[in-house]
Amino acid sequence: MSEQIEQARADGRSALTEPEGKALAAQFGLVVPQSVLVSPKEDLRAALQGMSPPFVVKVISPDILHKSDAGGVKVGLTDHAAVSEAVQDMAAIPAIASANVEGYLVEEMAPAGQEIVIGGLNDSQFGPMVMVGLGGVFVETLKDVAFRLCPISEVDAHAMLAELKGEAILEGARGSQTVSLDAIVKALLNVGGKDGLMHRYGNDIEELDINPLIVNAESAVAVDARVILSAKPEPEATAQTNDAVPPIERFRPLFEPKTIAVIGASTTSSIIANTFIRRMKAYGYDGDIYPIHPKADKIEGLKAYPDLGQTPKPIDYAYVATRADRIPDMIGAAKGNVKFAQVISSGFREVDEGVALEADLLRQAKAAGCRVIGPNCLGLYSPRGKVTFPVDAPKELGTVGVVTQSGGLGTDIIKRGQWRGLRFSGFLTVGNCADIGPADMLEFYLADPETTVIGFYLEDIGDGRRFFELLRLSETQKPVVILKGGRSELGRMAAASHTGALADNMAAWQALVAQTPCTMVDTVDAFVNALLTLQQLTARPSRPTERVVLFGNGGGTSVLATDFFAERGLKIAPFPEKTRETLEALGLPPGTSVVNPIDTPVGTLQHEEGRVANEILEIVYETAAPDAVVMHLNLAAFVGRGDVDPIDNLFEAAVSIGEKYPGQAHFVLALRSDGSAEIDNKKRDYRQRALDAGIPVFDELPDAAEALAALRHIERRFRG
Ligand code: ADP
Ligand code: MG
């Protein structure tokens, strides 16, 4: 441990003094001013030997946090006499005279420059973080700051600066002094990089403010450093799976259980556990199901057993839905006979009375060698193991792996996703995450060969640090979509520093998104859409999606969409001359516009029964090489316009152009309905046909824009 931190802890202090903080910062390569701590009575001429003016004097006292506010900072002192006078004056200020003063820090003034702030923070879920902002009003009133999780790379450091709204000021905008971005980047790496201060001492340091770092064209000097120590020097022991068994084998009994026990089914009435057994039979589960019941011989036509320890074969997966207070003992009775128990019942940590019960559950499960999922959840849906909790879930094995902390929302996502074309490789509701948490499931899905895209609904990530490290270090790159609940909670209530006060509760999440192939959405529909997009389309890191071609019927619709796409950084830019001329040469019916967006009225789309789309797309792909093509069809406009149904030919055009130019443009479709039963039915049919052709379908163009923006984010985050 650092001697400064050790000393402070030995003294029972919760913060380092400014000289200690600076000494610690200097050990990590930050430049600090040369300084000396003096007392008012000292011979200053001797004390300042070897230092060059101008000087700064600062009061050093554990009672004075904001020195300037107390009159405890004096700058621009030209010699030892001026320093001496400043010290005497300061000592006479009542607020300082009555404080416990350790001395006066005399330091050389840093060369003039711009003031920026670098901060550090130990997030309760994600661990060490680093922050940067411009000094003064930018930080204080505009909260113009950027956070990242440690360790950051040089690229991350540059991205942090680019993220600041006031970044132009650093570049010398409006007469401001140009500063060395490299010097700031270096300082950021000293604090937040791989061997940086926060990465090394993140568990000891609760908050760190370097405020300001004075930067000019040559140097960056940390003239103030404030270090608040964390209450707990050691990281909390987390419920990590240090299981030596690789994740796929570890979780196979869960996703492909050969034997299932069910606790909570009744002989007389039909309650949730009975429903589970019936659904499992209907879904075609072909392993053994053992109802557990203290007295009954048979439940749902199956032979019942008295407890989890007395089944004919060991249990891979136990479904537990009974009175909460009985559950810990029942799991305890398993004694090595159960690999995974999913506790559906509520009444645990989510209510005050259940906190102790959940602790008991965990203790007994551990003693019985059983991993717990839940409590307070709804179940598992795993097509590969023929396990389901929702009714009529799709049987085919898909590629989307999902974990949700809300069971009800889980059912929504499965069912809504099902009709939009999502197919799952696994779907686990994890409730309170007493034992198995999001990071465990991320580890599984990253390793699982069936899974290509991963979705989470999260309220509380638990071991966020492990989640981040898994994403950061994983060899297999898979896109992750997070639907985050509880975004509006208040931030850290008791921050002792600037940095702490500036970190709202989403700062770490935003950093996670900025640093890993992980995108965040805020509605169930956006979640399903993003997953669908990533299920259907392959991320293309070599050329992240940016230039989009819009093609369909509805002029105003495409004008509105062009704005919406542009606001998300997706460009629908007019075609190059060659493309336009070639398209014009097709001699399409009047009313057609062939700049981008391509506006094709119904009559045009019906032209040659829709085969005209082939020719249009061919020209677009050949001469404009877009990153993505969005086709949009206003289905209501087709009604009563002759008996040509061009849809199949339009889809066929989309498929064949994709085959002809593999990997060139992502193709997506917006099928717009007026909401009437007639058009909605048509749309359902068309949607299925498009999905069968591998094309992701959205309800409206803004949905398509958001989905493509999510895809682009993943493409940027993937290593090429
Ligand atoms: P506090 O934040 O506790 O009020 P600081 O140590 O940050 O005190 O000093 C207040 C201000 O004085 C700084 O924001 C900076 O503008 C200026 N200052 C302090 N030390 C120096 C220095 N060594 N060189 C140049 N300016 C300094
Ligand atoms: Mg300061």
Side-chain angles (χ1 to χ4, degrees), residues 613-623 651-665 667:
N614 265 324
E615 298 167 52
I616 294 176
L617 288 173
E618 177 78 44
I619 293 167
V620 167
Y621 275 59
E622 182 64 40
T623 61
F651 291 173
E652 205 182 291
V655 172
S656 63
I657 198 81
E659 283 164 358
K660 186 156 177 203
Y661 296 87
Q664 195 198 83
F667 197 100

Side-chain angles (χ1 to χ4, degrees), residues 367-677:
C370 166
R371 299 301 306 259
V372 175
I373 297 144
N376 185 27
C377 58
L378 270 192
L380 163 71
Y381 164 46
S382 176
R384 78 185 82 178
K386 301 203 178 100
V387 183
T388 188
F389 69 96
V391 69
D392 293 334
K395 291 217 164 93
E396 68 268 40
L397 176 60
T399 58
V400 180
V402 175
V403 178
T404 155
Q405 285 178 329
S406 156
L409 204 62
T411 315
D412 284 357
I413 295 165
I414 294 173
K415 297 309 289 183
R416 204 174 290 199
Q418 172 177 1
W419 302 118
R420 298 247 186 106
L422 278 188
R423 292 296 178 267
F424 300 94
S425 58
F427 199 113
L428 189 64
T429 66
V430 289
N432 295 4
C433 297
D435 176 13
I436 302 248
D440 298 300
M441 296 325 300
L442 176 64
E443 189 184 13
F444 169 75
Y445 283 134
L446 282 172
D448 175 29
E450 305 296 346
T451 301
T452 59
V453 43
I454 309 170
F456 286 92
Y457 169 74
L458 296 176
E459 286 164 14
D460 167 358
I461 199 169
D463 194 349
R465 176 50 47 174
R466 188 167 150 239
F467 195 93
F468 169 62
E469 294 290 358
L470 280 165
L471 278 178
R472 188 169 78 87
L473 303 173
S474 166
E475 299 204 344
T476 45
Q477 302 194 94
K478 296 184 186 179
V480 173
V481 182
I482 295 180
L483 175 60
K484 172 75 178 85
R487 295 190 304 280
S488 56
E489 279 160 30
L490 294 179
R492 300 158 55 94
M493 299 299 273
S497 73
H498 241 89
T499 307
L502 287 164
D504 68 34
N505 74 324
M506 289 308 289
W509 292 88
Q510 277 147 8
L512 180 75
V513 167
Q515 290 173 268
T516 63
C518 174
T519 173
M520 205 148 51
V521 293
D522 43 34
T523 64
V524 169
D525 283 324
F527 186 64
V528 169
N529 284 341
L531 292 174
L532 180 68
T533 307
L534 293 159
Q535 168 189 282
Q536 299 294 114
L537 306 176
T538 306
R540 192 185 48 210
S542 60
R543 183 163 46 91
T545 301
E546 200 179 297
R547 295 171 311 114
V548 178
V549 168
L550 205 58
F551 169 29
N553 63 329
T557 303
S558 36
V559 172
L560 283 174
T562 302
D563 295 339
F564 197 89
F565 276 68
E567 280 153 20
R568 276 144 196 84
L570 297 162
K571 294 193 195 107
I572 301 176
F575 285 131
E577 189 131 333
K578 168 132 198 261
T579 310
R580 223 168 39 229
E581 279 169 2
T582 325
L583 285 171
E584 272 160 11
L586 285 176
L588 296 168
T592 309
S593 161
V594 292
V595 288
N596 188 20
I598 304 174
D599 181 9
T600 44
V602 171
T604 308
L605 290 174
Q606 285 172 330
H607 205 61
E608 301 171 39
E609 297 180 332
R611 273 182 283 271
V612 68
N614 265 324
E615 298 167 52
I616 294 176
L617 288 173
E618 177 78 44
I619 293 167
V620 167
Y621 275 59
E622 182 64 40
T623 61
D627 297 331
V629 173
V630 181
M631 188 192 264
H632 59 106
L633 300 174
N634 180 11
L635 299 178
F638 286 85
V639 177
R641 298 285 185 86
D643 29 66
V644 179
D645 184 352
I647 293 291
D648 278 325
N649 287 331
L650 291 176
F651 291 173
E652 205 182 291
V655 172
S656 63
I657 198 81
E659 283 164 358
K660 186 156 177 203
Y661 296 87
Q664 195 198 83
H666 300 305
F667 197 100
V668 308
L669 181 66
L671 285 178
R672 305 182 52 243
S673 165
D674 61 5
S676 65

Side-chain angles (χ1 to χ4, degrees), residues 59-120:
V59 65
I60 300 299
S61 161
D63 305 338
I64 301 172
L65 299 184
H66 300 288
K67 303 178 293 290
S68 312
D69 293 354
V73 177
K74 196 118 198 203
V75 301
L77 306 167
T78 47
D79 56 20
H80 68 91
V83 168
S84 173
E85 199 185 322
V87 170
Q88 303 304 332
D89 290 352
M90 240 177 237
I93 295 173
I96 293 179
S98 62
N100 167 25
V101 174
E102 288 171 10
Y104 294 84
L105 189 69
V106 185
E107 60 185 26
E108 291 183 350
M109 271 194 80
Q114 291 199 40
E115 301 200 347
I116 73 153
V117 184
I118 291 184

